[in-house]
Amino acid sequence: MDFIIEAAVKAIKHLYQTDVAPAAITLQETRKEFGGQVTIVTFPFTKFSRKGPEQTGTEIGEYLKNELNEVAAFNVVKGFLNISLSDEYWITQLYNQILPDDFAVAKPNGQKVMVEYSSPNTNKPLHLGHIRNNLLGFSVAQILAAAGYDVVKANLVNDRGIHICKSMLAWQMFGNGETPESSGLKGDHLVGKYYVLFDKELRKQLVPILERIYDENDLTLFNDNQKEKIQALLISIDKLKSKKYATPENETKLITELTDKIGAEEDKIKEIAKNVTLLMVETQQMLQKWEAGDAQVLDLWKTMNGWVYAGFAETYKQLGVDFDKYYYESNTYLLGKDIIDEGLEKGVFFKKPDGSVWIDLTADGLDEKLVLRGDGTSVYITQDLGTAQLKYNDFHMDKSIYVVGNEQDYHFKVLFLILNKLGKAGADGLFHLSYGMVDLPSGKLKSREGTVVDADNLIAEMNDTAKQKTEAMGKVDGFSNEYKLQLYHTIGMGALKYFLLKVDPKKRLLFDPNESVEFEGHTGPFIQYTHARIKSVLNKANYLQTNQISISEIDGVERDLIVLLTQFPTVITDAANGYSPAIIANYVYELAKTYNKFYHEKSILQAENEVLKQFRLELSASSAKVISKGMALLGIDVPERM
């Protein structure tokens, strides 16, 4: 649409003897209730014309119609000049822009971007939350690549820490040498089984300790610091329980608040008490041995992580996601200590009397943040500072996108702020793609309690649901068994991916597997079925592309379809700028709806003449191409037959 902007600049110069920059011309898609395809906002130009917005719009519209062959008509609604472009213009767009293979293929923009996603823990299998993370990260990487970026897909694996040792210790105590081969379980499932078992055994050991605290006020198991904390919490609970209410009408509300507060205090006591259970003491000892390089512990760690990595690889393959670079926290957790020393020298950090290192961010609206413990051990922020430096050293990227849930919003504010204060290269290009959690109708789930929705089980359920619904439609007769299995997986994954990606990443969403596999409505299978329908039409017609314009007039629904197709490159740019696959998803859905309207209103194979038939086939082929490309940006395959 640059030619319209150029002409509008000339119009203002000619009509009002005023020079305006092209950026001053705002183009919008015309609202559906008005005639036209593109709209110019005329309010800003009234100060030059010294006339009302409607008269200003009419004068500019008359100029454009006289000067541009592409402008067929215009209308003005208040301060909006709605322009109708000629049929010849849209037909030319179809043949010269959309049909060629390089349509919506952006030139390299010279910028490199890293997208870090997945970031699993090696103590459990991937679950529903990981699925949204992986699909979101992979799709954003695809979209950025389509927009011209050089993209690096990275995975930072959390393969060390106390949670890893929990699974290892439980396997040592209760595993009897069980392996993925002997159990028939995927490696990540086997390790996750022992993570859940650890929590169950921990609860058993915790109960008698809590009884000694509450019933006997026995704190002999605890050190002085722990005793002091528990006694303070017990006093707090007693005070809360004895609280008297001033007004009976507020009693229900106050009881609810009181119960919540008591629960919070009791949870704190449980956390302290866990540390003196035999299981947690042994787990801490195992972690210390790991950090000291104990050969036996390291061998077990490598073996069990190997099981998990093999399991993850299968799940990633089923999801259709991949990575260019893996980072492991076991290799990066110490890297940040040099940065801490650097920050102390620069005065960015300060030491407290106990030797711990902090940064004061109160002037930035945050608080003081610990960056290194007094005993010299690292915290998460220490590790992340080092990893950020390592990633930049490896790739020197212009942008670095962290795909992490919104519960880590504060952490990334602190991380990015520290890197900026340290003057680190690449710090200005950091972005936290914060996304909402995924719930099922049954509610929020917890992996340590074994109630999480396992990714592999969900994938299998999606495939099975796709099979049932597809067979119920009776449209797979004559397909080979091999193609059927492939088709069910394609539909099941298309349903899952589309349902999770059509929603703005920032929003929390409720995922309903059955709703996602509907073949009508705002779903992946509806779009997939539209693509298969188009392919069926093209195959029946033995379609061959001509690239020769042989038609001069088109109907409204045909024009609407071409207009929508021309928007695809801009949609990719908008999705890349906003890191939002939802923009692509909703665009492709609108395209599929518009094509189906065209399909039902216009005969294709039985068109009045061969010229019209070929044009409608060209329009169908273009629609299939853009649907396929758009869905691929979401990581979704579209079948040739359904």
Side-chain angles (χ1 to χ4, degrees):
M1 296 292 170
D2 286 347
F3 72 97
I4 294 179
I5 293 175
E6 291 173 8
V9 169
K10 291 178 181 177
I12 294 166
K13 173 72 171 177
H14 175 78
L15 294 168
Y16 312 124
Q17 293 75 51
T18 303
D19 291 313
V20 296
I25 311 296
T26 301
L27 298 187
Q28 300 176 350
E29 183 180 355
T30 303
R31 291 170 58 175
K32 292 182 179 178
E33 60 265 35
F34 305 129
Q37 297 89 42
V38 61
T39 295
I40 297 176
V41 181
T42 62
F43 290 108
F45 311 131
T46 55
K47 60 185 177 183
F48 310 134
S49 67
R50 299 183 181 180
K51 299 171 184 176
E54 289 192 356
Q55 187 177 353
T56 303
T58 300
E59 291 177 349
I60 296 173
E62 290 287 358
Y63 180 92
L64 295 179
K65 186 178 178 183
N66 291 331
E67 294 295 319
L68 295 177
N69 294 329
E70 294 91 344
V71 175
F74 71 91
N75 66 83
V76 180
V77 180
K78 297 182 178 178
F80 300 94
L81 168 59
N82 306 311
I83 299 168
S84 296
L85 297 169
S86 67
D87 287 351
E88 289 83 0
Y89 171 79
W90 293 116
I91 293 167
T92 300
Q93 288 297 305
L94 174 66
Y95 281 92
N96 292 352
Q97 301 295 327
I98 301 168
L99 272 171
D101 293 337
D102 62 355
F103 176 62
V105 178
K107 295 178 180 178
N109 62 17
Q111 292 194 63
K112 180 171 287 188
V113 58
M114 176 180 284
V115 183
E116 179 196 298
Y117 57 99
S118 195
S119 304
N121 296 331
T122 58
N123 62 316
K124 56 190 175 184
L126 303 177
H127 54 65
L128 177 57
H130 288 117
I131 288 180
R132 188 177 197 189
N133 181 297
N134 278 277
L135 299 183
L136 180 58
F138 181 80
S139 180
V140 167
Q142 296 290 95
I143 292 166
L144 288 168
Y149 289 90
D150 178 10
V151 179
V152 179
K153 294 174 284 187
N155 187 349
L156 174 62
V157 182
N158 186 356
D159 64 340
R160 63 166 291 277
I162 196 71
H163 52 290
I164 310 296
C165 291
K166 288 178 181 180
S167 296
M168 292 166 59
L169 183 65
W171 183 87
Q172 270 189 337
M173 297 177 69
F174 311 112
N176 297 314
E178 188 176 31
T179 67
E181 291 74 22
S182 68
S183 65
L185 292 172
K186 280 178 76 223
D188 51 337
H189 287 248
L190 179 62
V191 173
K193 166 186 166 183
Y194 286 100
Y195 182 64
V196 172
L197 182 58
F198 179 94
D199 190 67
K200 290 179 180 177
E201 293 298 320
L202 181 65
R203 288 169 185 239
K204 290 179 186 178
Q205 293 186 12
L206 189 58
V207 169
I209 295 173
L210 292 174
E211 287 175 348
R212 287 170 64 175
I213 293 172
Y214 290 112
D215 298 338
E216 305 169 30
N217 198 28
D218 181 0
L219 302 179
T220 56
L221 291 171
F222 301 94
N223 63 39
D224 290 342
N225 185 43
Q226 291 170 331
K227 285 179 186 177
E228 186 178 333
K229 287 182 179 178
I230 291 176
Q231 283 172 337
L233 291 167
L234 287 171
I235 292 169
S236 178
I237 288 173
D238 288 338
K239 284 182 178 178
L240 289 168
K241 285 180 177 177
S242 64
K243 184 175 180 180
K244 294 181 180 178
Y245 306 109
T247 53
E249 60 268 23
N250 288 334
E251 187 167 332
T252 302
K253 178 184 176 184
L254 289 169
I255 287 174
T256 301
E257 291 178 356
L258 179 64
T259 304
D260 290 342
K261 288 178 181 178
I262 290 174
E265 302 288 24
E266 289 180 339
D267 284 344
K268 291 176 184 177
I269 291 175
K270 288 179 184 178
E271 284 302 314
I272 297 170
K274 281 179 183 179
N275 291 325
V276 298
T277 61
L278 180 63
L279 270 176
M280 282 305 299
V281 169
E282 292 183 343
T283 305
Q284 291 285 359
Q285 290 172 349
M286 178 177 277
L287 180 59
Q288 290 166 6
K289 288 180 179 179
W290 183 90
E291 293 190 355
D294 181 275
Q296 187 177 357
V297 172
L298 286 176
D299 283 345
L300 177 59
W301 172 74
K302 290 174 183 176
T303 297
M304 294 184 71
N305 272 357
W307 296 343
V308 173
Y309 296 147
F312 284 172
E314 290 183 42
T315 308
Y316 289 144
K317 183 177 180 181
Q318 290 292 308
L319 284 175
V321 302
D322 56 23
F323 307 92
D324 303 310
K325 177 70 176 179
Y326 282 86
Y327 291 96
Y328 299 91
E329 291 193 356
S330 57
N331 295 330
T332 65
Y333 80 105
L334 295 175
L335 292 176
K337 290 188 178 181
D338 289 339
I339 295 178
I340 301 301
D341 291 338
E342 176 189 335
L344 283 168
E345 290 178 10
K346 290 182 175 180
V348 175
F349 304 134
F350 68 93
K351 267 190 181 182
K352 289 192 174 182
D354 64 356
S356 60
V357 182
W358 297 71
I359 184 170
D360 185 356
L361 300 174
T362 53
D364 300 285
L366 303 177
D367 56 13
E368 289 188 351
K369 176 69 179 176
L370 175 71
V371 296
L372 194 69
R373 294 190 185 96
D375 61 5
T377 57
S378 61
V379 291
Y380 273 117
I381 202 82
T382 327
Q383 167 189 290
D384 287 348
L385 288 168
T387 305
Q389 182 69 64
L390 177 62
K391 293 195 297 186
Y392 186 80
N393 291 346
D394 285 346
F395 293 100
H396 292 90
M397 55 276 191
D398 300 281
K399 297 183 180 182
S400 187
I401 316 300
Y402 294 78
V403 183
V404 182
N406 56 15
E407 73 277 8
Q408 294 294 328
D409 284 355
Y410 182 80
H411 175 82
F412 283 101
K413 283 181 183 177
V414 172
L415 175 64
F416 297 167
L417 191 54
I418 292 175
L419 288 165
N420 268 289
K421 288 180 180 294
L422 289 168
K424 290 296 180 181
D428 291 339
L430 302 174
F431 182 79
H432 173 206
L433 180 49
S434 173
Y435 63 89
M437 295 296 100
V438 184
D439 296 319
L440 287 173
S442 55
K444 191 175 182 180
L445 305 167
K446 299 178 180 178
S447 57
R448 66 174 176 271
E449 296 173 4
T451 59
V452 75
V453 178
D454 176 78
D456 297 310
N457 292 342
L458 181 58
I459 290 170
E461 180 185 340
M462 295 301 299
N463 291 350
D464 186 58
T465 304
K467 175 183 178 183
Q468 294 175 22
K469 296 207 172 189
T470 305
E471 290 181 347
M473 294 176 67
K475 293 182 179 291
V476 292
D477 297 338
F479 291 0
S480 69
N481 287 332
E482 182 180 358
Y483 185 78
K484 286 180 185 178
L485 290 175
Q486 179 186 339
L487 179 63
Y488 301 147
H489 181 70
T490 298
I491 295 172
M493 287 300 92
L496 174 65
K497 294 179 181 183
Y498 190 83
F499 198 100
L500 295 181
L501 292 174
K502 72 180 181 181
V503 178
D504 184 275
K506 293 185 287 294
K507 293 183 179 179
R508 189 167 191 148
L509 63 85
L510 184 69
F511 174 65
D512 186 337
N514 283 315
E515 181 185 337
S516 71
V517 194
E518 294 294 338
F519 285 84
E520 295 292 335
H522 195 182
T523 67
F526 167 71
I527 298 169
Q528 290 174 317
Y529 187 72
T530 300
H531 181 269
R533 164 177 278 170
I534 299 172
K535 285 295 186 180
S536 175
V537 169
L538 296 175
N539 288 333
K540 286 178 182 178
N542 295 314
Y543 164 73
L544 292 174
Q545 187 171 318
T546 62
N547 288 339
Q548 294 179 354
I549 300 176
S550 54
I551 190 170
S552 59
E553 294 183 0
I554 53 177
D555 201 17
V557 69
E558 295 165 334
R559 184 185 306 108
D560 291 344
L561 192 51
I562 297 174
V563 170
L564 203 51
L565 289 168
T566 62
Q567 294 171 3
F568 187 43
T570 303
V571 168
I572 293 174
T573 300
D574 290 344
N577 291 340
Y579 307 121
S580 178
I583 293 173
I584 299 287
N586 288 284
Y587 165 79
V588 178
Y589 172 61
E590 288 300 320
L591 179 58
K593 280 201 307 180
T594 304
Y595 180 84
N596 279 290
K597 185 173 186 289
F598 159 74
Y599 175 85
H600 289 297
E601 290 185 9
K602 299 296 177 184
S603 177
I604 300 173
L605 299 180
Q606 302 300 320
E608 297 92 304
N609 55 65
E610 283 300 312
V611 170
L612 189 57
K613 175 182 175 181
Q614 183 64 27
F615 164 74
R616 289 176 178 169
L617 289 171
E618 306 280 23
L619 191 50
S620 297
S622 298
S623 300
K625 178 174 73 173
V626 172
I627 288 173
S628 178
K629 283 187 173 185
M631 292 291 266
L633 295 179
L634 304 176
I636 299 174
D637 293 326
V638 285
E640 298 282 315
R641 298 182 295 160
M642 279 177 70

